[in-house]
């Protein structure tokens, strides 16, 4: 097959098989607009397989993440214009990414006009889709697929065929006229010329993406999925940056943190990219072989930083994995292009679990409800917002992989009382050391009159115990790290699952009796939800 070299060095490749991911990804965040009270959402359709087929000549996978439901009646019904909808959506923290993700709004009408129709910002990252509930059933999926494929085509820089002299007018095309089914047929859907334009778009990413310069800067500062810098406190910033903080004003402290994180960014070497690509490819193949498909199909985005940032620990921001120079050096030293089976196993057993651990954290952001099923139904956590307690806030550690501390552990035999797991910094140290100066604490919380409140002693101090002292909780899990947040527990357990599958063993086969139930719940969950 002829290999077409297209814009920005990207290449058109053969279409991915069922057990081999595509080379490129377009991430789509569906935003379903409903009434102000959350009722009566607009129609949504995500015919992912058919959209992928329409773009298959370009070897692109449309990766739809978990939908967001946006409460805005006027936006849903086309009673305000698109510019105003975007202003309100940005104000309400609905938009995701920094121009690297398609934000796809599903509405009842666009500028007062009902579907099927759409509006895709030319060269932008926002699309509005209004579907027609009354379309004939036999043509419905073709119509839905076409509207999505066509409007995203505008995001990717494609003009209507009638306006582009380089696109034939006499054959069906994603940007042309004709029956819906024929226009999305991969035989006609895209021309080589259109594929060349698509590959120039910032929305099209390699499945394994090593971020450079401006994109890396945007990614490490991204708070569109959840808050991070906007909630940091002085002591934890000192720990993360290994520096004394020269400010007391909280806004200046947080600006300092952002500047330091950006200053830590450095570029990957070709050898590091080669080594990481090899390991990721091996992880994906092992996961696909065992039908753990979701993390394997999820995009792998990487940032490299200097070793002083966050103590050199691997962590995540948004849907991007952050790796330190020190860690990458270890990978590079253990990677060879001609490894024997023993060397390959050693590399994968040491590096694979860490990378998959972090990949799970990016999935937790893009598919939160999927994980909540495990946390609540499987592991008995309670999701709740606890009223802020100043002493706890000042000494907090905002885990970049789980910055929102909103999970509680029910206290056996005490109705409406919970333990709130938090990681805190030890006191009286100007520059705390990452890890060494951390302590995991359980604060007692009561639900009363609809409010979750930290309980205090007669001197106003919060009631707490060390996490390790609550053995009925710690013994429930087969892992002993990351028990301060279910996001961490899940990531550690998936890493252990990988190690077992690599060694051709049954995951958690030797779990303690007390941990057997939660281990089985986890296996049952990932076999269903990760498939």
């Amino acid at each position: 097959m002829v290999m077409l070299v297209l814009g920005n060095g990207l290449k058109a490749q053969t279409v991915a098989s069922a057990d081999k991911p595509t080379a490129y990804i377009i991430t789509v965040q569906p935003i379903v607009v409903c009434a102000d009270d959350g009722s009566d959402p607009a129609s949504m359709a995500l015919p992912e397989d058919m959209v992928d087929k329409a773009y298959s000549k370009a070897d692109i996978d449309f990766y739809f993440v978990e939908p967001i439901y946006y409460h805005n009646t006027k936006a849903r019904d086309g009673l305000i214009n698109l510019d105003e909808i975007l202003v309100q959506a940005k104000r309400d923290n609905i938009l995701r990414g920094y121009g690297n993700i398609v934000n796809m709004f599903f509405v009842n009408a666009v500028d007062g006009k009902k579907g099927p129709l759409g509006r895709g910002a030319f060269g932008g990252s926002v699309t509005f889709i209004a579907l027609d509930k009354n379309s004939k059933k036999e043509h419905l999926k073709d119509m839905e697929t076409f509207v999505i494929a066509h409007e995203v085509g505008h995001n990717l820089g494609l003009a209507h065929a009638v306006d582009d002299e380089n696109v034939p007018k006499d054959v069906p095309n994603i940007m042309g006229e004709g029956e819906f089914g024929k226009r999305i047929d991969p035989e006609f859907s895209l021309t080589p010329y259109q594929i060349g334009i698509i590959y120039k778009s910032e929305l099209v990413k390699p499945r394994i993406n090593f971020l450079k310069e401006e994109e890396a800067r945007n990614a490490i500062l991204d708070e569109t999925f959840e808050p991070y810098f906007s909630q940091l406190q002085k002591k934890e910033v000192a720990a993360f940056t290994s520096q004394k903080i020269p400010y007391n004003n909280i806004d200046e402290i947080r600006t300092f943190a952002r500047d330091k994180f950006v200053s830590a960014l450095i570029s990957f070497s070709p050898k590091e990219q080669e080594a990481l690509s090899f390991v990721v490819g091996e992880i994906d193949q092992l996961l696909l072989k065992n039908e753990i498909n979701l993390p394997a199909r999820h995009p792998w985005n990487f940032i490299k930083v200097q070793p002083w940032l966050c103590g050199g620990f691997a962590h995540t921001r948004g849907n991007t994995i952050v790796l330190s120079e020190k860690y990458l050096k270890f990978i590079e030293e253990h990677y060879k292009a001609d490894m024997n089976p023993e060397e390959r196993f050693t590399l994968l057993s040491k590096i694979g679990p860490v990378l998959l651990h972090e990949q799970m954290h990016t999935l937790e952001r893009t598919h939160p409800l999927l994980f909540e099923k495990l946390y609540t139904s499987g592991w008995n956590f309670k999701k709740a917002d606890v009223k802020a307690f100043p002493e706890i806030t000042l000494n907090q550690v905002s885990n970049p992989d789980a910055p929102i501390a909103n999970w509680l552990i029910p206290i056996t035999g005490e109705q409406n009382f919970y333990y709130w797991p938090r990681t805190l910094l030890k006191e009286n140290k100007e520059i705390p050391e990452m890890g060494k100066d951390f302590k995991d604490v359980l604060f007692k919380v009561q639900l009363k009159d609809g409010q979750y409140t930290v309980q205090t002693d007669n001197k106003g101090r919060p009631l707490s115990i060390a996490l390790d002292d609550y053995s009925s909780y710690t013994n429930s899990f087969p892992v002993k790290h990351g028990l301060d947040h279910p996001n961490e527990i899940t990531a550690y357990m998936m890493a252990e699952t990988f190690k077992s599958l690599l060694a051709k063993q049954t995951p958690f086969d030797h779990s303690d009796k007390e941990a057997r139930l939660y281990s089985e719940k986890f296996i049952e969950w990932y076999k269903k939800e990760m498939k």
Side-chain angles (χ1 to χ4, degrees):
M1 179 178 181
V2 176
M3 187 76 73
L4 296 175
V5 180
L6 302 160
N8 292 337
L10 300 182
K11 300 177 180 179
Q13 300 182 3
T14 54
V15 178
S17 63
D19 60 350
K20 181 179 181 295
T22 59
Y24 309 114
I25 285 182
I26 295 173
T27 300
V28 180
Q29 174 64 72
I31 302 170
V32 184
V33 189
C34 47
D36 291 339
D37 63 0
S39 65
D40 198 17
S43 293
M44 176 186 70
L46 301 175
E48 185 169 353
D49 290 348
M50 292 180 66
V51 176
D52 286 343
K53 189 175 180 181
Y55 279 80
S56 59
K57 279 184 180 178
D59 201 12
I60 289 173
D61 172 29
F62 274 65
Y63 183 71
F64 291 89
V65 303
E66 196 172 274
I68 297 170
Y69 287 82
Y70 182 32
H71 301 184
N72 191 324
T73 302
K74 290 183 178 180
R76 180 197 63 183
D77 296 338
L79 302 177
I80 53 178
N81 65 40
L82 304 186
D83 289 338
E84 180 59 27
I85 294 173
L86 292 179
V87 169
Q88 294 182 17
K90 188 172 183 179
R91 175 200 66 197
D92 297 333
N93 298 316
I94 295 298
L95 300 177
R96 295 290 184 262
Y98 43 88
N100 63 327
I101 293 173
V102 176
N103 285 270
M104 183 175 290
F105 289 80
F106 287 90
V107 294
N108 288 342
V110 176
D111 292 331
K113 298 178 181 179
K114 294 187 177 181
L117 60 84
R119 296 286 186 273
F122 188 84
S125 59
V126 175
T127 289
F128 288 85
I129 305 290
L131 299 176
D132 182 7
K133 299 178 182 179
N134 300 314
S135 294
K136 293 181 180 179
K137 191 172 182 180
E138 63 267 26
H139 300 302
L140 181 60
K141 198 166 185 180
D142 286 347
M143 178 271 290
E144 293 168 343
T145 301
F146 170 76
V147 173
I148 291 173
H150 178 90
E151 298 307 331
V152 174
H154 286 311
N155 292 154
L156 299 172
L158 300 183
H160 288 130
V162 69
D163 297 321
D164 192 333
E165 62 182 15
N166 296 294
V167 180
K169 314 298 184 294
D170 55 348
V171 294
N173 185 271
I174 281 178
M175 307 311 295
E177 301 294 331
E179 295 178 16
F180 290 134
K182 289 185 178 180
R183 284 189 273 179
I184 59 174
D185 186 326
E187 181 179 352
F188 309 109
S189 56
L190 293 171
T191 69
Y193 163 78
Q194 289 174 311
I195 293 173
I197 293 175
I198 288 171
Y199 280 170
K200 296 176 182 177
S201 171
E202 290 299 316
L203 296 169
V204 179
K205 303 296 183 185
R207 181 170 292 279
I208 306 174
N209 187 23
F210 300 96
L211 278 62
K212 299 177 182 178
E213 299 170 2
E214 187 65 20
E215 187 179 10
R217 182 184 184 279
N218 289 333
I220 206 165
L221 296 178
D222 183 25
E223 292 191 76
T224 60
F225 286 96
E226 60 192 359
Y228 182 62
F229 294 100
S230 55
Q231 70 178 26
L232 293 182
Q233 301 297 313
K234 184 174 182 177
K235 288 182 66 175
E236 59 183 327
V237 172
F240 297 151
T241 61
S242 302
Q243 275 200 341
K244 178 180 177 180
I245 309 304
Y247 308 104
N248 290 314
N249 177 275
I250 193 61
D251 291 330
E252 291 180 315
I253 291 168
R254 291 169 180 170
T255 297
F256 174 86
R258 292 184 180 95
D259 290 343
K260 292 300 294 182
F261 271 66
V262 169
S263 73
L265 295 169
I266 48 180
S267 300
F268 289 92
S269 71
K271 181 69 178 295
E272 289 168 341
Q273 294 185 41
E274 181 182 338
L276 269 177
S277 297
F278 170 80
V279 176
V280 166
E282 294 293 302
I283 292 172
D284 285 348
Q285 290 305 310
L286 182 61
L287 294 178
L288 292 170
K289 181 180 178 181
N290 288 277
E291 296 189 304
I292 309 175
N293 299 320
L294 187 55
R297 299 289 182 185
H298 191 66
W300 291 86
N301 296 305
F302 291 107
I303 288 174
K304 179 183 175 182
V305 295
Q306 297 181 44
W308 53 262
L309 185 67
C310 294
F313 292 121
H315 60 279
T316 57
R317 294 295 313 122
N319 63 348
T320 302
I321 297 171
V322 183
L323 300 176
S324 79
E325 185 177 35
K326 182 178 179 181
Y327 181 74
L328 286 163
K329 184 177 180 181
F330 176 86
I331 297 175
E332 190 176 2
E333 288 175 349
H334 286 75
Y335 168 76
K336 294 188 301 183
D338 56 348
M339 288 181 291
N340 61 41
E342 183 178 348
E343 291 169 330
R344 173 186 172 277
F345 180 85
T346 299
L347 175 66
L348 294 179
S349 62
K350 290 182 179 295
I351 307 305
V354 177
L355 296 184
L356 183 55
H357 176 115
E358 300 305 331
Q359 182 77 325
M360 292 299 290
H361 288 314
T362 67
L363 274 170
E364 288 159 355
R365 293 192 178 98
T366 55
H367 296 76
L369 295 180
L370 185 155
F371 286 85
E372 286 182 19
K373 291 180 186 178
L374 173 64
Y375 302 166
T376 55
S377 300
W379 290 344
N380 202 33
F381 282 96
K382 174 72 174 179
K383 188 178 183 182
D385 293 319
V386 179
K387 184 178 179 181
F389 196 95
E391 181 181 330
I392 297 173
T393 301
L394 288 173
N395 294 291
Q396 71 183 16
V397 176
S398 298
N399 181 349
D401 297 327
I404 303 176
N406 59 349
W407 291 101
L408 305 178
I409 306 163
I411 299 177
T412 304
E414 297 189 44
Q415 188 175 6
N416 293 327
F417 283 94
Y418 303 85
Y419 278 131
W420 185 27
R422 298 300 307 270
T423 299
L424 301 186
L425 290 163
K426 296 176 182 177
E427 300 175 3
N428 304 320
K429 198 164 183 181
E430 190 172 46
I431 305 178
E433 187 175 337
M434 289 287 295
K436 181 180 179 181
D437 291 323
F438 291 1
K439 57 180 180 180
D440 292 331
V441 181
L442 298 176
F443 293 98
K444 194 169 187 178
V445 168
Q446 181 183 19
L447 170 60
K448 186 176 181 180
D449 299 327
Q451 175 73 61
Y452 293 86
T453 307
V454 175
Q455 301 298 286
T456 59
D457 61 18
N458 55 14
K459 293 184 178 180
R461 296 173 299 195
L463 294 175
S464 67
I465 62 172
L467 186 148
D468 288 342
D469 290 342
Y470 195 39
S471 59
S472 62
Y473 169 72
T474 58
N475 292 340
S476 296
F477 295 97
V479 294
K480 300 308 174 187
H481 300 287
L483 298 179
D484 60 323
H485 199 290
N487 280 14
E488 289 291 356
I489 298 171
T490 307
Y492 276 108
M493 289 185 70
M494 186 55 75
E496 289 299 317
T497 298
F498 175 84
K499 286 194 285 187
S500 295
L501 296 175
L502 184 65
K504 299 182 179 179
Q505 298 172 351
T506 302
F508 310 113
D509 197 32
H510 302 292
S511 294
D512 294 339
K513 185 177 180 181
E514 293 174 278
R516 180 72 63 182
L517 175 62
Y518 280 5
S519 299
E520 291 174 351
K521 291 288 187 182
F522 175 75
I523 294 171
E524 176 185 331
W525 171 81
Y526 83 65
K527 284 187 175 180
K528 178 182 178 182
E529 303 294 348
M530 294 285 107
K531 185 175 182 179

